[in-house]
Amino acid sequence: MLDELFAVIESRKAELPEGSYTASLFTHEKGENAVLEKLGEETTELLLAAKDDDHEELAHEAADLVYHLLVLLAMKDMDVADLRAELAERR
């Protein structure tokens, strides 16, 4: 699933289709700060959902966090393989 999602993100980065939220992150006037702000926001929401033991909200916010992390990786010309390699090295 992560590979499929990342492929969509890369496609939006390359094609910049109008009306795409993902494309808007790559063209935002704040630049990468827009994604960094979203990562901070989603992290806070994730922590609050965990604190409240709200499993449904926790899953939702975790997905938002992973999505925005993948967008950041794409912005930095990295990909899921880079993430996998780092995780494997820590194993």
Side-chain angles (χ1 to χ4, degrees), residues 17-57:
E18 192 172 322
S20 164
Y21 173 71
T22 302
S24 75
L25 292 172
F26 289 104
T27 59
H28 198 282
E29 63 186 28
K30 289 183 176 180
E32 76 179 34
N33 282 351
V35 174
L36 298 175
E37 289 172 10
K38 286 302 291 182
L39 278 166
E41 173 189 324
E42 300 305 344
T43 300
T44 299
E45 292 171 353
L46 177 81
L47 295 172
L48 293 173
K51 178 189 73 65
D52 292 341
D53 254 348
D54 186 338
H55 292 194
E56 185 176 323
E57 190 66 14

Side-chain angles (χ1 to χ4, degrees), residues 5-90:
L5 176 57
F6 194 78
V8 170
I9 291 169
E10 285 285 297
S11 171
R12 299 295 193 271
K13 177 183 173 185
E15 298 167 14
L16 299 173
E18 192 172 322
S20 164
Y21 173 71
T22 302
S24 75
L25 292 172
F26 289 104
T27 59
H28 198 282
E29 63 186 28
K30 289 183 176 180
E32 76 179 34
N33 282 351
V35 174
L36 298 175
E37 289 172 10
K38 286 302 291 182
L39 278 166
E41 173 189 324
E42 300 305 344
T43 300
T44 299
E45 292 171 353
L46 177 81
L47 295 172
L48 293 173
K51 178 189 73 65
D52 292 341
D53 254 348
D54 186 338
H55 292 194
E56 185 176 323
E57 190 66 14
L58 183 59
H60 177 84
E61 298 304 339
D64 284 349
L65 182 64
V66 168
Y67 162 78
H68 286 94
L69 174 61
L70 292 177
V71 170
L72 180 63
L73 291 178
M75 280 184 161
K76 297 297 187 176
D77 295 322
M78 297 176 69
D79 61 28
V80 178
D82 296 309
L83 180 58
R84 276 195 193 92
E86 180 63 26
L87 291 171
E89 196 171 298
R90 295 180 182 200

